[in-house]
Amino acid sequence: MAVFINEPSHTFNEYLLIPGYSSGKCIPANVSLKTPLVRFRKGEEASITMNIPMVSAIMQSVSGDRLAVALAKEGGVSFIYGSQTIEKEAAMVAKAKNHKAGFVTSDSNLSPSSTLSEVIALKEKTGHSTMAVTDDGTERGKLLGIVTSRDYRISRMSGDTKVSEFMTPFEKLVYAKEGTSLKEANDIIWDNKLNALPIIDDEQRLCSFVFRKDYDSHKMNPDELLDSNKRYVVGAGINTRDYAQRVPALIEAGADVLCIDSSEGFSEWQRLTLSWIREHYGESVKVGAGNVVDADGFRFLADCGADFVKVGIGGGSICITRETKGIGRGQATALIDVCKARDEYFEETGIYVPVCSDGGIVHDHHITLALAMGADFVMLGRYFARFDESPTNKVNIGGTYMKEYWGEGSARARNWQRYDLGGEKKLSFVEGVDSYVPYAGSLKDNVAVSLSKVKSTMCNCGALSIPELQQKAKITLVSETSIVEGGAHDVIQKDKTGAIK
């Protein structure tokens, strides 16, 4: 006979945090949101620790290279979507990793015979105003000069003017030789009041650039998440079919952490994928797995060697898995069950496997609830899809700007690997929808607001860190009536212009 769990499963919206004692030290400025991304042993530290508890979903409509850079600047990690060719995903990873390596490979290059029109077109394409002029027009050619916006005036020059006529020639450039340290390069930039410093080899071939703005950016983004080479930390999604080809390519491209993208992780397919990675890379390649919704699923993946485990089936805003297949669990209940198993596993083995709550986040305070219930970090799709940096189009719908947002199981994405059960290589039926979400502006501004709410709530609970929140939190179930009471009610609201709604 089937196992029946008579206790209903609950969502985040059915819980509230009860305030605890707040000492004088409990102010948002003192709150640390650092959290482990990957497994570690008792007494040790995780090899990758995030500065904020946020990662972006492995989705076509969410995680491209632009969002990877923007989120890493804030201290989180983006998992670039895997439902594309291996070559394209690896290229996205490499682009994000090279965006700020301290030493940046030039991706805006000209030859002396290029024209002003080509300069303008290249600037529109890349957004970069500093362009290298090399003998063959490639990033590794012999450096002959540099073109910046100070070298030309569109209104006074013909579009067919050759670059050789207005570039700053090599003889007038300040440059450094290959082997110069990043600190030395930055000192040269400051001493000579430069915006960019080209790095060349002994044969005058261009190696890279060091940009002044990257130094300034670091000062403006104190929480940015960097690897040992001062490059942004970037994640990437993999599947349980072509991992033998995809994993090596992503590692070669520089991916810091991988995650198996699957709607249901309690499977032989995930065990085989994790086993292959451990056999070929040992513990050096970090890979998360999931998704699961109970203790059995967590323990299975932890024993298989997952570096973190994702929790959640059917709770995403564009996911209709529960509707089409009748499987899943309320996100809050699933998370509480898995985190309890995580703590028991840690006590038994001395190995801590972080838990990622994936799905079910509707409001900012749900992030705090997820952390209080035991999550080490949350994975967000709809949240990040709204921002400038997501890969989708911004469209005007009835006078309101929206961003396109679709599920990996939708007819548009047709990511059959995510729902793979070992059958034919196709998506037999959809498990996601195609939709719009309200456009919200830049990632940086929105993440700052969301995390300020998280920190403020943590202070209300008397906690200055995520582990302390999990120790001190008091959480209560609420009734339908109290949910209504929690919002504005029994008043006539005004909109921002003062008009009555």
Side-chain angles (χ1 to χ4, degrees):
M1 186 175 179
V3 174
F4 286 88
I5 300 174
N6 292 318
E7 174 68 25
S9 63
H10 299 285
T11 66
F12 292 132
N13 219 38
E14 297 174 77
Y15 288 93
L16 288 174
L17 285 158
I18 297 175
Y21 171 72
S22 302
S23 71
K25 294 180 179 179
C26 282
I27 59 174
N30 291 338
V31 173
S32 169
L33 293 177
K34 288 183 180 296
T35 192
L37 178 61
V38 296
R39 68 161 59 201
F40 60 91
R41 293 185 178 278
K42 191 173 185 177
E44 299 178 356
E45 291 187 1
S47 60
I48 304 177
T49 298
M50 297 189 295
N51 294 322
I52 64 171
M54 286 179 159
V55 300
S56 68
I58 313 168
M59 299 175 68
Q60 295 175 12
S61 56
V62 178
S63 298
D65 54 270
R66 280 189 68 205
L67 194 121
V69 170
L71 185 51
K73 283 183 178 180
E74 302 310 308
V77 173
S78 182
F79 285 87
I80 289 175
Y81 68 93
S83 53
Q84 57 181 324
T85 66
I86 295 172
E87 293 76 18
K88 287 183 178 179
E89 185 181 12
M92 278 192 177
V93 170
K95 188 173 182 180
K97 291 299 293 183
N98 290 329
H99 182 87
K100 181 188 176 184
F103 297 92
V104 181
T105 301
S106 176
D107 65 356
S108 297
N109 306 291
L110 304 161
S111 70
S113 60
S114 299
T115 64
L116 176 59
S117 295
E118 290 175 292
V119 171
I120 295 167
L122 186 58
K123 183 178 179 181
E124 289 179 354
K125 178 182 177 182
T126 65
H128 300 154
S129 58
T130 299
M131 304 176 190
V133 182
T134 61
D135 59 346
D136 59 2
T138 69
E139 75 240 15
R140 291 291 292 174
K142 184 177 180 180
L143 183 63
L144 302 179
I146 287 178
V147 170
T148 72
S149 55
R150 292 177 295 182
D151 291 316
Y152 58 86
R153 293 188 68 178
I154 298 174
S155 60
R156 297 190 178 186
M157 295 170 62
S158 170
D160 58 7
T161 305
K162 301 293 184 184
V163 163
S164 57
E165 297 179 34
F166 59 87
M167 70 181 186
T168 301
F170 180 79
E171 297 74 29
K172 294 184 179 181
L173 295 178
V174 177
Y175 58 86
K177 286 291 188 75
E178 191 175 21
T180 301
S181 71
L182 185 58
K183 183 181 184 307
E184 290 169 337
N186 280 318
D187 287 342
I188 294 171
I189 288 173
W190 281 96
D191 291 343
N192 293 275
K193 299 181 180 179
L194 304 174
N195 288 322
L197 177 71
I199 309 297
I200 62 171
D201 65 13
D202 291 335
E203 297 179 0
Q204 202 176 310
R205 288 195 302 267
L206 180 63
C207 300
S208 58
F209 276 101
V210 177
F211 292 99
R212 181 191 186 104
K213 66 180 178 60
D214 286 342
Y215 179 87
D216 295 337
S217 175
H218 175 66
K219 297 301 180 184
M220 293 172 59
N221 299 289
D223 288 329
E224 63 183 355
L225 196 59
L226 306 175
D227 66 16
S228 58
N229 294 313
K230 306 296 184 183
R231 302 182 300 175
Y232 288 125
V233 173
V234 179
I238 62 174
N239 61 68
T240 58
R241 283 278 186 146
D242 64 11
Y243 52 84
Q245 294 78 42
R246 191 174 293 267
V247 170
L250 295 175
I251 297 304
E252 177 67 23
D256 299 277
V257 58
L258 307 175
C259 185
I260 302 172
D261 182 25
S262 175
S263 65
E264 203 277 299
F266 197 173
S267 74
E268 177 75 359
W269 313 114
Q270 297 225 357
R271 185 190 68 78
L272 293 172
T273 305
L274 291 166
S275 296
W276 185 91
I277 291 173
R278 294 295 169 242
E279 179 185 346
H280 289 81
Y281 294 95
E283 301 296 322
S284 64
V285 169
K286 306 302 179 185
V287 54
N291 287 21
V292 298
V293 291
D294 66 3
D296 292 339
F298 170 84
R299 184 168 287 269
F300 170 78
L301 291 176
D303 286 339
C304 287
D307 283 295
F308 64 85
V309 173
K310 287 204 297 156
V311 177
I313 294 177
S317 59
I318 41 69
C319 183
I320 56 172
T321 293
R322 296 180 192 174
E323 181 181 319
T324 57
K325 295 171 72 173
I327 65 169
R329 198 176 193 186
Q331 186 66 13
T333 300
L335 183 61
I336 293 167
D337 192 10
V338 169
C339 289
K340 183 173 180 286
R342 184 263 325 273
D343 293 342
E344 291 171 351
Y345 191 83
F346 182 51
E347 286 297 317
E348 292 174 23
T349 66
I351 298 173
Y352 187 91
V353 181
V355 167
C356 169
S357 180
D358 177 18
I361 302 288
V362 180
H363 306 292
D364 286 343
H365 75 269
H366 290 170
I367 299 173
T368 320
L369 275 167
L371 297 174
M373 290 173 179
D376 296 280
F377 53 96
V378 297
M379 178 172 276
L380 303 164
R382 180 195 60 84
Y383 178 88
F384 287 118
R386 304 173 300 149
F387 303 149
D388 289 317
E389 295 84 357
S390 74
T392 63
N393 295 319
K394 183 172 74 171
V395 295
N396 191 312
I397 306 291
T400 301
Y401 280 110
M402 312 287 280
K403 290 275 282 186
E404 294 178 305
Y405 180 47
W406 60 91
E408 288 297 291
S410 67
R412 181 171 185 172
R414 304 204 70 82
N415 180 8
W416 63 268
Q417 293 99 329
R418 188 176 199 276
Y419 303 88
D420 186 26
L421 294 174
E424 294 183 58
K425 296 181 179 181
K426 67 177 184 178
L427 191 70
S428 299
F429 53 90
V430 298
E431 294 188 44
V433 301
D434 197 345
S435 63
Y436 298 102
V437 288
Y439 167 67
S442 75
L443 179 147
K444 183 178 182 66
D445 292 342
N446 284 275
V447 166
V449 172
S450 296
L451 294 183
S452 69
K453 294 177 184 177
V454 172
K455 290 180 177 181
S456 179
T457 305
M458 288 173 64
C459 288
N460 292 142
C461 296
L464 295 177
S465 69
I466 293 172
E468 190 177 11
L469 174 67
Q470 292 166 352
Q471 276 188 332
K472 293 184 174 181
K474 290 187 289 185
I475 305 171
T476 182
L477 269 170
V478 294
S479 66
E480 289 186 22
T481 304
S482 59
I483 292 172
V484 173
E485 182 186 65
H489 60 92
D490 300 315
V491 294
I492 300 174
Q493 292 189 66
K494 299 177 181 177
D495 65 18
K496 292 180 180 178
T497 64
I500 295 177
K501 287 185 178 181

